[in-house]
Amino acid sequence: MWSATLIATDVVSFDVQILSPQISQATGIQDLSTVPGGLFDTAYGSPGYTVSAVKITLRVWDLKTHQTRQVTVIQDM
């Protein structure tokens, strides 16, 4: 059975990008990119590329101030 825990309300957007040497070599662009196929789950086997870094951007609506707040986390793997 699958369950989820609510950690943020009023989420406007949620973006995940990765840095992968194999993807960068294939595209010729050394930068963060979206996950190929939009899914990264090792339960389905090896995706065929390694992940060197992950960038997560979360934007939420702040009802009190009527503004959008954003936080970006970049983690070296």
Side-chain angles (χ1 to χ4, degrees):
M1 175 174 242
W2 186 83
S3 66
T5 302
L6 180 65
I7 58 168
T9 60
D10 299 321
V11 175
V12 175
S13 67
F14 181 83
D15 186 45
V16 177
Q17 295 181 313
I18 61 169
L19 180 63
S20 170
Q22 293 85 359
I23 295 172
S24 297
Q25 184 178 18
T27 61
I29 301 171
Q30 183 67 28
D31 200 2
L32 292 159
S33 61
T34 57
V35 178
L39 175 68
F40 183 87
D41 190 346
T42 55
Y44 297 114
S46 176
Y49 55 87
T50 59
V51 176
S52 301
V54 176
K55 175 182 171 185
I56 300 172
T57 303
L58 178 67
R59 297 185 76 187
V60 296
W61 177 252
D62 186 350
L63 186 60
K64 184 177 179 181
T65 62
H66 295 277
Q67 294 180 338
T68 303
R69 306 289 184 170
Q70 176 176 315
V71 63
T72 300
V73 177
I74 300 174
Q75 179 64 49
D76 183 27
M77 305 301 279

